[in-house]
Amino acid sequence: MKFLEKHPMIMIVVGVIGISLSAIFVKYSEAPAAVTAAYRLLWTVGLMTPVVIGKAGFRAELRKTEKKTVLLCAVSGIFWPFILPHGLSR
């Protein structure tokens, strides 16, 4: 991770390319909007998890988080797929 901390422009360029290509992929996708949103979130979690778990400071902060907050986040995540399609149809 030291290399990317010294050269942050690499991650900025990768992010800009990823955001630019995602619009093209969404445009040509025949999946519903809810499915596309779910896959975007899945990729984000998959790419960010190693960064969060890999840093000691982030791990310490996660351990200090109240259990009530963690429970509310988990419940929100569980109910998100059920609420999302109904909100998009309005």
Side-chain angles (χ1 to χ4, degrees):
M1 206 56 163
K2 297 290 184 190
F3 178 78
L4 293 177
E5 289 175 0
K6 291 180 182 177
H7 307 303
M9 286 302 291
I10 293 172
M11 292 307 294
I12 292 173
V13 169
V14 169
V16 168
I17 291 170
I19 290 172
S20 300
L21 290 176
S22 70
I24 295 169
F25 293 141
V26 168
K27 178 76 175 170
Y28 289 115
S29 172
E30 295 182 9
V35 173
T36 305
Y39 276 116
R40 282 179 150 184
L41 288 173
L42 182 69
W43 276 104
T44 303
V45 169
L47 293 173
M48 292 299 295
T49 299
V51 175
V52 172
I53 292 176
K55 295 232 178 196
F58 288 130
R59 284 194 309 255
E61 187 176 343
L62 288 174
R63 285 190 194 113
K64 293 178 186 177
T65 307
E66 295 180 15
K67 291 183 181 183
K68 179 181 177 183
T69 305
V70 173
L71 180 66
L72 286 173
C73 289
V75 170
S76 298
I78 291 169
F79 284 107
W80 174 253
F82 301 111
I83 296 171
L84 184 64
H86 299 294
L88 293 176
S89 64
R90 292 183 184 177

